[in-house]
Amino acid sequence: MSVLTGELKWWQQEIIYQIYPRSFQDSNGDGVGDIQGIISRLDYLKELGVGVLWLSPVYKSPQVDNGYDISDYYDIHDEYGTLADMDELIAQAAARGMRVIMDLVINHTSDQHPWFIESRDPASPKRDYYYWRDGREGGGNPNNWTSFFGEDCWVYDEKSGQYYLHLFAKGQPDLNYHNPAVFEEIKSIMRFWLDRGIAGFRCDVINIIFKESLEDGRRRLILTGSEHYISRPGTHEILKKLRSEVLDDYDCFTVGETVFVTPKMGQELCDPERRELDMIFSFEHMETDQFIVKWFKRKFHAGRFGRVIERWQQAMYWPAVYLENHDQPRSVSRFADDGRYWSESAKMLAVLLLTQRGTPFVFQGEEIGMTNFDFASLEQLQDVESHNIDRLLKRFHVPAGMRWRMLLRTSRDNARTPVQWNGESGAGFTTGSPWLGINKNHKKINVAAQEHDTESVLNFYRCLIGMRKQREVLVAGDFKLIEAKRSRIVYERSLGHERMLIILSFSDKPQRVSYRGDLIVSNYSRQTFDGRLSPYEAAVLEIMM
Ligand code: ISL
Ligand code: CA
């Protein structure tokens, strides 16, 4: 599926920047990022060279899961601002040639959403907006499913005498897509925002929205029951209809977050002929350092990583390329070295991100090489998932030291610490007390320190983004894996007569390779390439044909 037909669409030529609004920029000193804060950084984003901003949810929300629990889809969360602020952001971005996309969280709402509150009354017309079921005969949950956040996925509601389903936190009841009224509600929500001028959606856990049946699942270590809802035909139907009944009326695109997808499922979800999604985020490359479940780590292996990347580069018509988001630990801490070779490592990963086929997504702070959170106690973590998991592991008598090590490496808060704008006490993020701790390394790793340093990670990103825009071979050229082993990944991009070779070291030891060509990108200050690779070196060679 790697042959492209016709011209590239605008969203295939842009670099997308993910903003986690809570942690991006606070404008009023309450310690929480907000929309005015984002507006104040638009020039920075423009200069970085990104063309689209994806905002994690800014809708009204009790913030049980930082906005992924929505209580009003038609309004902005108070801490973040107002609808007028959002309109201003869209307009100010447009004035700089940038577009904004929003997160569309439609698998579930908040339990504080008026639909859910009404639905707790069994006689309410909203009852069927959610999955309400009787317990089993003799007591207990309606089925044996388990949730994404390490708990049961049913809650018994005294008021209505039944249980409701939630695949994520208790405060996130799942919507029932067997009910056509729910589908109509979603269509109006999408139109509301598209009419305000947004350019598309990142669709949260979109491949699991349709539950085909609520029967017991095969028992598994994680997500018992998932065979009943992962990429079922009902989901494909909904996506096709959202496309033809809403999205087709706008110049927009969608990128679906899809969990537990295989390349075949992924390809089916965004095959242009089928007209469902435009791109998806797959997770297999993020799982190469995990052992069955994310809380059990295995050593990162660049060879395994490279082979997974290759598989998805080949499988997808148009890949969404990313190494970080708000749910994953920081890439430089995870896949390379955030110590001695921090700068080389962050730049090497930038090359990996920006030389693959597809549309790259940069997560806030990745462009300055932000590292994992240096938290020192569980109390410093805010994420509902981290606390649930710790409780669950404790119940299974996993020793405290082991639980701690797991959280250090896997907590989603690793990615969620405030953006490090400068070396001052609030890191330029806030003048108040930040909602989540700021990494102590902000004294060294920050935007202000990198802004005018020609050797900085930030300026490396700027150059590379600029170069990618000039060279279509990097955007759309064929991808061919040449080598993938523990110490390095090498691949080739080609388009017509153009050929580039990308050599990435994942080792802290020097290596020798036999590739030669004109050196056009290096994360070391070199003019030519003679086959010697320094630790974590990245070299892009142009090969004349
Ligand atoms: O982050 C994960 C595990 O640590 C994933 O399983 C994650 O829960 C899954 O990718 C779904 O993520 C999305 O939906 C969640 C929300 O908490 C995440 O932040 C969001 O990206 C529920 O809305
Ligand atoms: Ca604020």
Side-chain angles (χ1 to χ4, degrees):
M1 259 322 245
S2 69
V3 185
L4 281 174
T5 45
E7 299 241 304
L8 291 179
K9 304 223 170 56
W10 64 264
W11 49 265
Q12 294 177 307
Q13 303 173 57
E14 295 290 5
I15 285 120
I16 303 185
Y17 187 92
Q18 181 189 353
I19 292 179
Y20 197 65
R22 236 184 151 61
S23 306
F24 187 68
Q25 176 69 64
D26 176 21
S27 72
N28 62 350
D30 67 354
V32 175
D34 46 55
I35 295 177
Q36 282 301 331
I38 302 174
I39 294 173
S40 73
R41 295 293 184 184
L42 286 175
D43 288 332
Y44 167 80
L45 295 168
K46 176 70 190 167
E47 208 180 317
L48 180 59
V50 299
V52 181
L53 310 177
W54 150 30
L55 261 53
S56 273
V58 289
Y59 313 91
K60 270 212 188 329
S61 158
Q63 305 284 324
V64 167
D65 189 19
N66 291 353
Y68 283 89
D69 49 320
I70 298 171
S71 55
D72 185 353
Y73 289 89
Y74 295 97
D75 208 348
I76 300 292
H77 178 60
D78 288 339
E79 287 174 307
Y80 296 160
T82 61
L83 277 176
D85 291 325
M86 189 65 193
D87 290 342
E88 186 184 337
L89 171 61
I90 297 169
Q92 291 279 349
R96 292 166 175 82
M98 294 189 284
R99 307 184 220 217
V100 176
I101 68 167
M102 290 177 86
D103 222 300
L104 185 72
V105 189
I106 58 171
N107 176 69
H108 42 266
T109 68
S110 159
D111 63 354
Q112 301 306 309
H113 194 291
W115 299 337
F116 187 75
I117 294 173
E118 279 180 49
S119 93
R120 292 178 64 192
D121 172 1
S124 151
K126 296 284 191 301
R127 185 70 168 178
D128 274 347
Y129 271 42
Y130 298 87
Y131 292 105
W132 286 101
R133 291 292 183 280
D134 289 331
R136 287 172 198 272
E137 269 176 49
N141 289 347
N143 67 25
N144 66 351
W145 296 9
T146 51
S147 86
F148 280 74
F149 289 168
E151 46 184 7
D152 279 357
C153 45
W154 294 96
V155 171
Y156 182 69
D157 184 48
E158 291 286 347
K159 180 162 178 247
S160 56
Q162 284 190 311
Y163 292 77
Y164 71 83
L165 175 73
H166 66 94
L167 288 185
F168 294 89
K170 284 190 178 59
Q172 293 169 304
D174 282 51
L175 284 164
N176 172 14
Y177 283 90
H178 293 266
N179 180 353
V182 170
F183 179 70
E184 292 304 319
E185 299 271 16
I186 302 304
K187 280 165 56 182
S188 344
I189 293 165
M190 291 169 75
R191 284 195 180 279
F192 176 83
W193 291 105
L194 290 163
D195 288 339
R196 289 193 108 85
I198 66 161
F201 295 103
R202 175 267 190 187
C203 311
D204 192 56
V205 292
I206 198 70
N207 64 324
I208 65 168
I209 58 176
F210 187 82
K211 281 75 185 176
E212 196 162 60
S213 89
L214 294 182
E215 284 163 33
D216 276 353
R218 240 175 307 122
R219 283 219 169 271
R220 307 162 183 268
L221 200 52
I222 45 158
L223 289 186
T224 293
S226 52
E227 67 271 28
H228 296 302
Y229 56 76
I230 292 181
S231 292
R232 306 316 304 152
T235 296
H236 290 286
E237 275 317 298
I238 293 169
L239 291 175
K240 282 198 175 67
K241 284 169 69 182
L242 288 179
R243 177 84 170 234
S244 61
E245 296 174 26
V246 179
L247 296 162
D248 276 350
D249 294 341
Y250 301 85
D251 181 17
C252 67
F253 73 95
T254 54
V255 51
E257 186 212 24
T258 50
V259 288
F260 298 96
V261 276
T262 60
K264 181 166 179 296
M265 286 177 188
Q267 198 275 323
E268 283 171 4
L269 284 160
C270 34
D271 174 350
E273 310 268 290
R274 296 171 56 120
R275 306 190 42 72
E276 296 183 20
L277 297 164
D278 290 310
M279 297 180 267
I280 58 152
F281 293 125
S282 61
F283 283 91
E284 200 181 350
H285 65 303
M286 300 309 255
E287 289 157 1
T288 50
D289 60 349
Q290 298 168 6
F291 177 71
I292 309 180
V293 285
K294 70 170 256 192
W295 304 290
F296 295 90
K297 281 283 175 189
R298 60 178 173 181
K299 204 169 160 24
F300 173 71
H301 190 297
R304 197 153 51 215
F305 194 58
R307 283 186 294 275
V308 171
I309 288 175
E310 145 90 354
R311 180 150 64 236
W312 285 87
Q313 282 278 302
Q314 302 308 349
M316 300 307 290
Y317 178 78
W318 193 258
V321 179
Y322 77 96
L323 299 175
E324 289 189 13
N325 64 35
H326 64 290
D327 291 332
Q328 302 287 336
R330 290 287 184 177
S331 59
V332 67
S333 301
R334 182 176 181 188
F335 304 136
D337 179 5
D338 63 8
R340 179 168 175 203
Y341 295 108
W342 162 77
S343 168
E344 292 80 359
S345 291
K347 293 175 188 169
M348 182 276 287
L349 291 170
V351 174
L352 173 64
L353 180 70
L354 294 163
T355 60
Q356 289 181 56
R357 195 175 68 83
T359 299
F361 288 71
V362 178
F363 177 64
Q364 63 180 40
E366 189 175 4
E367 78 278 17
I368 56 166
M370 277 180 62
T371 65
N372 277 352
F373 189 11
D374 53 353
F375 59 94
S377 73
L378 186 61
E379 290 70 55
Q380 279 177 273
L381 294 181
Q382 302 286 340
D383 183 19
V384 57
E385 183 195 64
S386 298
H387 287 278
N388 281 355
I389 294 307
D390 187 65
R391 222 173 300 125
L392 179 82
L393 295 174
K394 203 166 169 180
R395 215 181 324 132
F396 285 107
H397 306 289
V398 175
M402 199 169 165
R403 296 203 308 271
W404 178 245
R405 280 192 301 278
M406 283 176 175
L407 283 178
L408 275 180
R409 287 152 80 185
T410 60
S411 172
R412 303 193 299 182
D413 281 346
N414 279 312
R416 299 176 179 184
T417 57
V419 171
Q420 298 168 195
W421 296 102
N422 64 37
E424 291 159 23
S425 76
F429 164 71
T430 186
T431 52
S433 142
W435 73 278
L436 180 67
I438 295 174
N439 197 314
K440 284 193 285 301
N441 68 19
H442 74 277
K443 297 217 158 33
K444 174 180 155 225
I445 302 176
N446 65 64
V447 172
Q450 297 190 22
E451 184 76 51
H452 302 292
D453 170 4
T454 52
E455 301 299 309
S456 69
V457 176
L458 177 59
N459 279 311
F460 191 79
Y461 264 87
R462 288 172 174 159
C463 285
L464 212 52
I465 289 175
M467 186 180 96
R468 186 180 165 98
K469 288 193 177 157
Q470 307 290 312
R471 303 298 303 265
E472 198 181 332
V473 55
L474 289 176
V475 179
D478 286 344
F479 178 102
K480 187 171 154 212
L481 185 69
I482 310 286
E483 272 192 276
K485 47 193 203 182
R486 195 181 280 285
S487 57
R488 64 178 178 259
I489 298 176
V490 180
Y491 51 89
E492 183 191 275
R493 303 294 313 280
S494 58
L495 184 73
H497 294 298
E498 292 179 88
R499 229 173 114 204
M500 286 191 192
L501 197 66
I502 291 95
I503 306 168
L504 306 170
S505 162
F506 281 83
S507 166
D508 58 2
K509 308 264 171 347
Q511 309 177 47
R512 264 178 188 281
V513 292
S514 55
Y515 311 105
R516 295 293 183 275
D518 289 341
L519 186 65
I520 56 169
V521 174
S522 168
N523 60 347
Y524 279 78
S525 36
R526 280 189 210 298
Q527 303 307 315
T528 55
F529 186 72
D530 64 3
R532 277 178 293 189
L533 264 191
S534 293
Y536 296 99
E537 179 157 356
V540 178
L541 306 181
E542 174 126 48
I543 314 242
M544 293 305 170
M545 299 206 292

